[in-house]
Amino acid sequence: MKQISILGSTGSIGRQTLEVVRRHSDKFKIVALAGHSNVDLLEAQVKEFKPEVVGISDEKIYAREKHRFSGLTVLSGADALIEVAGLNKADIMVAAVSGMAGFLSTLKAVECGKTVALANKESLVAGGKIIKETAKKTGAKIYPVDSEHSAVWQCLEGNNSRSLQKIILTASGGPLYGKGSEELKNTTIEQALAHPTWSMGKKISLDSATMGNKALEILEASVLFDTHNIDYVIHPESIVHSIVEFTDGTHIMQASPPSMIYPIGLALSYPDRIDNDKMPFAFNKPLNFLPKDEINFPLPKLAKQALKTHEGAPLVFNASLEAVDYLFLNKTIGFGHISIIVAKILEEVDFPTLNTAEDVVKAHNEVYEKVLAEYNK
Ligand code: NDP
Ligand code: MG
């Protein structure tokens, strides 16, 4: 029985992880759950999965609602995440918090040598070097939950990493692929969040509409798989989750239904595979691979440039994207401003040197605050 803790259990990935646990209660046991503000859902999850430890990272909500969890160890504040991440009892920690709020807890789990099922790509984009160096020292394993990275991981299994030529991530294109610049400028929040294939949290849904998500995924893949040779292709059906090109000209692709249940299940059960619903392949339906639109969706190109520029540039990309996402979702800036501001910030700032976790947190906060100071008007 694998003992699992979930940080961000009330979010989209958290809920789907619990669905995997629900279907495979003979294999997985929940020992800790942490949410931020949605205590109604957290309470329901606690009743069903009976963890020993509960984290509520929003302190005000903790103070008001902790009585709901009497008899359990209830941790509060940002430190709650770090404490839950370090819990001795958990074999696997699912990092499912969204944004940089998940960084220190992800690092803590790695410091404790745990297996981390990593959905929180922002941690790796900003603090990849430190997380990887720490994992090397402690023996912690990082198994990707992001479907594209899970696909690359699976394609690389059994192959020598020296044979890796290129990673080609797939992208659904989000709700806006194919639209022209005039139409895109006036995109509303509702249009940006209406993803055609995936049901996800707000930030990643918006990032899918701007292609900022693919940009983060390029940076995430560079950390996970030690290469800068990463590209992407639009694949609207979201059946092939990524492709690896090998030095001998072979391409290996990974396919599964468009549901996070599959990559989450693999990250929890690896090296085994659990039973899942099988997808009867409809061989009479085409799978499309379409060209990217780097004119209207420039963020992935900016991310690739950032990779080549400086080790601190991905952090700047991530922090400025998190800040502009916040501003767009608060109706302070328009959709068309998102990539323009990220590009401008990447040109303006001095890239940080990132030797410690403190460097990462400080640099992230500085860039985030700079964007808010300049554009939150
Ligand atoms: P959601 O917005 O659905 O969930 C976010 C989770 O984080 C919730 O549990 C939320 O708690 C918690 N949270 C939010 N803010 C804070 C904070 N300041 N401190 C602590 N906890 C916080 O996001 P997703 O589940 O969609 O995404 C989570 C991560 O997984 C992201 O990094 C995303 O990029 C990645 N990912 C998601 C995919 C998906 O299909 N959803 C696919 C691939 C990667 P509460 O709701 O209680 O406030
Ligand atoms: Mg993804």
Side-chain angles (χ1 to χ4, degrees):
M1 191 73 110
K2 289 183 179 173
Q3 314 282 319
I4 315 261
S5 64
I6 307 178
L7 274 61
S9 67
T10 46
S12 161
I13 291 291
R15 294 192 305 269
Q16 293 178 87
T17 305
L18 286 172
E19 179 56 26
V20 173
V21 172
R22 188 179 284 121
R23 291 184 195 177
H24 300 279
S25 54
D26 56 325
K27 294 190 169 61
F28 309 120
K29 159 101 183 78
I30 295 292
V31 290
L33 294 176
H36 187 60
S37 59
N38 189 349
V39 263
D40 288 342
L41 179 58
L42 189 60
E43 188 180 16
Q45 293 178 341
V46 166
K47 280 201 175 119
E48 180 179 355
F49 292 96
K50 302 189 174 39
E52 294 160 33
V53 177
V54 180
I56 304 172
S57 43
D58 185 315
E59 283 180 15
K60 281 192 194 134
I61 292 186
Y62 165 82
R64 206 177 60 215
E65 309 286 351
K66 64 174 182 241
H67 65 273
R68 297 199 199 188
F69 304 95
S70 64
L72 296 174
T73 305
V74 191
L75 306 167
S76 90
D79 288 350
L81 292 180
I82 299 173
E83 278 187 65
V84 173
L87 266 189
N88 262 339
K89 278 204 167 167
D91 306 314
I92 303 181
M93 187 199 89
V94 181
V97 169
S98 102
M100 272 299 276
F103 170 63
L104 289 174
S105 50
T106 300
L107 182 60
K108 177 72 181 182
V110 172
E111 281 167 359
C112 294
K114 296 202 177 300
T115 294
V116 179
L118 186 98
N120 179 249
K121 61 190 87 183
E122 296 89 348
S123 290
L124 219 51
V125 170
K129 185 176 91 174
I130 288 144
I131 290 177
K132 273 185 79 175
E133 279 171 1
T134 309
K136 221 174 182 180
K137 279 187 211 143
T138 63
K141 302 263 183 309
I142 300 172
Y143 296 151
V145 164
D146 214 347
S147 55
E148 294 78 359
H149 305 74
S150 176
V152 172
W153 176 37
Q154 294 176 66
C155 293
L156 287 172
E157 279 271 290
N159 286 292
N160 190 318
S161 60
R162 284 195 311 272
S163 313
L164 167 73
Q165 179 73 42
K166 185 177 182 181
I167 289 172
I168 306 165
L169 304 174
T170 53
S172 69
L176 305 174
Y177 174 75
K179 301 214 186 304
S181 59
E182 275 311 302
E183 214 179 333
L184 286 174
K185 251 194 240 164
N186 301 319
T187 301
T188 62
I189 295 176
E190 292 69 30
Q191 287 165 335
L193 298 185
H195 200 284
T197 30
W198 298 96
S199 162
M200 309 178 286
K202 266 191 189 171
K203 181 181 190 297
I204 184 173
S205 296
L206 171 58
D207 288 343
S208 299
T210 59
M211 298 301 285
N213 183 49
K214 213 45 57 185
L216 292 178
E217 289 181 352
I218 289 169
L219 301 171
E220 181 188 9
S222 75
V223 178
L224 284 169
F225 306 112
D226 275 323
T227 178
H228 286 187
N229 206 358
I230 307 166
D231 209 342
Y232 71 101
V233 65
I234 305 293
H235 170 52
E237 292 81 11
S238 301
I239 298 290
V240 172
H241 297 290
S242 278
I243 303 156
V244 173
E245 182 180 305
F246 291 90
T247 44
D248 66 351
T250 298
H251 290 82
I252 299 187
M253 308 179 176
Q254 182 269 339
S256 50
S259 158
M260 292 307 293
I261 291 289
Y262 297 82
I264 292 169
L266 184 64
L268 298 187
S269 64
Y270 186 83
D272 296 331
R273 285 183 184 263
I274 48 176
D275 271 349
N276 267 329
D277 298 337
K278 313 293 182 291
M279 173 182 65
F281 246 118
F283 287 107
N284 55 347
K285 280 198 197 146
L287 291 177
N288 291 286
F289 296 92
L290 308 174
K292 54 194 178 234
D293 173 359
E294 293 195 313
I295 306 283
N296 288 312
F297 301 95
L299 289 173
K301 197 172 169 186
L302 284 174
K304 279 197 260 178
Q305 281 163 4
L307 260 188
K308 291 187 198 132
T309 312
H310 189 276
E311 65 154 21
L315 176 145
V316 173
F317 181 96
N318 179 60
S320 54
L321 184 65
E322 196 159 320
V324 290
D325 282 355
Y326 168 82
L327 293 177
F328 175 75
L329 292 171
N330 281 283
K331 301 193 175 164
T332 310
I333 59 169
F335 190 84
H337 298 125
I338 292 178
S339 58
I340 296 173
I341 297 175
V342 173
K344 199 157 170 284
I345 295 290
L346 279 165
E347 272 176 21
E348 280 172 14
V349 301
D350 293 331
F351 295 121
T353 304
L354 304 169
N355 291 322
T356 63
E358 291 71 34
D359 294 342
V360 171
V361 173
K362 184 166 171 276
H364 172 84
N365 291 342
E366 278 174 10
V367 175
Y368 191 92
E369 295 305 329
K370 175 182 165 66
V371 176
L372 293 201
E374 287 177 23
Y375 298 98
N376 197 8
K377 293 182 178 134

